Amino acid sequence: MLPHGVVGVSCYDSLERALRLRAEGADYVAFGSFFPSAVKPGAVRPPLGLLGEARASLDCAVVAIGGVTRARAPQLLAAGAHALAVITDLFEAEDPAARAAEYVEFFQAA
């Protein structure tokens, strides 16, 4: 067993929630759903600017989730996301491993 796991928290559209949960020990914070998502169709839609605000306000990784696709990834990263949580675009791909490699390229190019 690991002596310390990694704890991430969903903050939806709330920077205040992220600040509080980070102070309580969260290792990273996630915001979204930034775009329409079949996984959570009724999810809150935060503004893209929240990613930059969170990045400037927090000393941890900021993750964007919700409707993430290869076409939208650059926009989310440019807005301030350190990482992306991808479900549908990855697991519904014909070749999920190849699709994951395409996402890795976004981070290698930075």
Side-chain angles (χ1 to χ4, degrees):
M1 180 152 65
L2 296 173
H4 175 73
V6 176
V7 177
V9 293
S10 294
C11 298
Y12 312 103
D13 65 345
S14 174
L15 181 57
E16 294 76 21
R17 178 181 170 92
L19 292 165
R20 179 175 49 82
L21 293 172
R22 174 64 177 144
E24 291 176 9
D27 295 302
Y28 72 89
V29 298
F31 296 97
S33 180
F34 281 96
F35 301 99
S37 168
V39 176
K40 292 187 178 180
V44 173
R45 294 264 166 38
L48 283 174
L50 179 58
L51 293 168
E53 287 181 61
R55 189 171 180 140
S57 301
L58 293 158
D59 63 344
C60 66
V62 174
V63 180
I65 190 168
V68 179
T69 64
R70 288 169 298 154
R72 295 172 176 153
Q75 182 180 11
L76 293 165
L77 294 171
H82 290 105
L84 305 171
V86 184
I87 300 172
T88 304
D89 194 48
L90 182 63
F91 291 104
E92 288 187 359
E94 187 174 313
D95 183 346
R99 179 65 49 86
E102 293 173 17
Y103 277 98
V104 169
E105 291 177 15
F106 289 118
F107 296 95
Q108 291 175 336

